[in-house]
Amino acid sequence: MSAPRQFDVIVVGAGLIGAAAACLFARQGLTVALVEARALDRHAGAGDATDERVSAINLAAFALFDALGVWRGIDPQRVSRYDAMKVWDCNSPAKISFLAADLGAPCLGYIVENRALVAALREKLRQNYNVTLLDNTEVAGINYDRDPNPNDAGGRLSVTLSDSGERVQTRLLVGADGADSGVRELGGLHSRSEDFGQDAITATVSTARDHRATAWQCFLDTGPVAMLPLADGRCSLVWSCDRADADELMRLEDADFCARLQPLFAHELGNITACQPRRRFALRQQHADAYIAEAVALIGDAAHTTHPLAGLGANIGLVDAAALAEVVEWARRHRKDIGQTSVLRRYERWRRGDNARVLAMMKGFKEIFGSRHAGAKAVRSAGMNLADTVTPLKMVLAKFATGQYGDLPALCRRA
């Protein structure tokens, strides 16, 4: 019987966060297996069709992609930078705006089609012979080697693949497999979940006026509605609302849906002239009680999910990946086992506290901006106007929105 294949790191989940993590580990010269449940098109991202799924990439995530050499591989027709952000309360005169020039930054961030991001990441992975893609399979089980040989370049964790029953070995298993993470379950890690009772409706819409490289967001009592600028002049809509309202909005004909949306943005973007097919997804907040187990680490949605009102989900997941890679690099410099619990604990201490604060803040924003109580309305109106006029407070919020806060990994810091 042949010996099992051995990898330094196995990353489960070939989406945005998992592919970025695989790039980071391969960059260190580690042997990496990237496991994905779906059958993947190795050339995903090619073609002219617009991907209605987009991510708001902040400056910390941009710095990471730039350092990896991935950003230059993204089709520029799939990227739209935004230089301004305007936010207002639809039920009061309260408003706040941010300009890149106020931060001394080239822009506030980028709106990028997910397909283009993942295509650029996979192209970078194809260029690295240390990466093996194992698609159309899942991790069916894991077993620990309780007596690992510290001089063995192979694994201390045996991973069984579902399609063939093959067992492969690794020193570190990384779960980047989403909110319903199988790695989290197999690693015996638990999470707490809270359903917001809301859905987000997404679509690509056309407007009579140019978006002017600005991200627009208004707050209704039922949740925020965002219009994000796309490279072709259209906007990506994210409408968060109570589930009953989402049911109604999804039943509307396109023309009626546009008519419902138009009053919210007509003063800035003019008439809503067209709407591409709508999608919806449930909103919930989830946080793992622990990010690590022996030789196992969680990143991205496998560790945490939150409300999309600030567009932070993918961004904090990318910072997770960069932080874990930095900890692994530190461990190798100090000749430590990269899957050792004491090593992985450094990653957990680094990221879980910061993420918990972000999730608490997002929950607080959702509650105060989603409240119909007169007192809450007065507080949010006064708070928004205060933040818009008090420069130090506004700068703190701007740094938060652009990802320039907290203890960032070296690859995520602005030069």
Side-chain angles (χ1 to χ4, degrees), residues 271-339:
N271 293 339
I272 308 296
T273 58
C275 171
Q276 295 286 23
R278 283 158 271 159
R279 296 185 179 186
R280 70 187 290 184
F281 56 92
L283 298 181
R284 60 175 173 165
Q285 181 157 293
Q286 182 171 292
H287 203 196
D289 293 336
Y291 284 14
I292 65 162
E294 184 180 354
V296 175
L298 305 177
I299 60 175
D301 285 358
H304 48 74
T305 62
T306 190
H307 199 286
L309 66 87
L312 290 175
N315 291 290
I316 59 177
L318 289 165
V319 175
D320 289 346
L324 179 58
E326 192 168 306
V327 167
V328 165
E329 191 171 29
W330 170 88
R332 295 177 66 222
R333 284 200 312 268
H334 291 81
R335 300 183 181 278
K336 295 180 180 293
D337 179 356
I338 64 173

Side-chain angles (χ1 to χ4, degrees), residues 6-162:
Q6 297 184 337
F7 301 95
D8 294 317
V9 182
I10 295 177
V11 179
V12 182
L16 178 60
I17 309 303
C23 283
L24 285 161
F25 293 123
R27 181 176 181 264
Q28 297 180 25
L30 297 171
T31 56
V32 180
L34 183 57
V35 177
E36 171 55 46
R38 298 166 298 158
L40 295 178
D41 175 3
R42 265 59 171 182
H43 299 283
D48 297 327
T50 299
D51 185 358
E52 59 274 4
R53 296 171 303 160
V54 301
S55 292
I57 297 300
N58 64 25
L59 298 182
F62 164 77
L64 173 61
F65 285 128
D66 193 44
L68 286 174
V70 168
W71 193 259
R72 66 179 69 97
I74 300 174
D75 181 352
Q77 298 302 312
R78 309 300 190 195
V79 180
S80 176
R81 57 181 272 169
Y82 59 98
D83 304 319
M85 184 185 303
K86 295 192 175 181
V87 182
W88 64 94
D89 187 340
C90 282
N91 298 308
S92 78
K95 64 182 186 304
I96 186 170
S97 61
F98 302 98
L99 298 174
D102 294 340
L103 286 175
C107 65
L108 294 180
Y110 301 85
I111 306 300
V112 191
E113 293 176 25
N114 284 12
R115 183 185 300 142
L117 272 173
V118 174
L121 284 164
R122 288 187 192 155
E123 178 58 33
K124 180 61 65 173
L125 291 172
R126 277 194 291 272
Q127 296 168 9
N128 195 305
Y129 295 111
N130 284 338
V131 178
T132 301
L133 179 59
L134 304 173
D135 63 345
N136 207 23
T137 188
E138 299 180 55
V139 174
I142 60 176
N143 290 288
Y144 293 94
D145 178 358
R146 297 300 175 185
D147 297 305
N149 178 356
N151 297 317
D152 186 2
R156 60 190 293 238
L157 191 67
S158 181
V159 176
T160 305
L161 301 178
S162 63

Side-chain angles (χ1 to χ4, degrees), residues 218-239:
C218 71
F219 281 91
L220 303 172
D221 287 344
T222 55
V225 188
M227 294 276 267
L228 308 174
L230 298 177
D232 63 5
R234 295 183 296 172
C235 290
S236 178
L237 168 71
V238 183
W239 189 334

Side-chain angles (χ1 to χ4, degrees), residues 179-234:
D180 299 317
S181 170
V183 172
R184 188 179 65 227
E185 182 176 353
L186 290 169
L189 299 170
H190 304 287
S191 66
R192 302 171 190 269
S193 181
E194 177 183 352
D195 190 334
F196 284 128
Q198 290 192 322
D199 288 354
I201 296 174
T202 62
T204 302
V205 300
S206 300
T207 59
R209 297 180 195 164
D210 185 80
H211 54 56
R212 307 190 297 283
T214 299
W216 314 88
Q217 187 174 53
C218 71
F219 281 91
L220 303 172
D221 287 344
T222 55
V225 188
M227 294 276 267
L228 308 174
L230 298 177
D232 63 5
R234 295 183 296 172

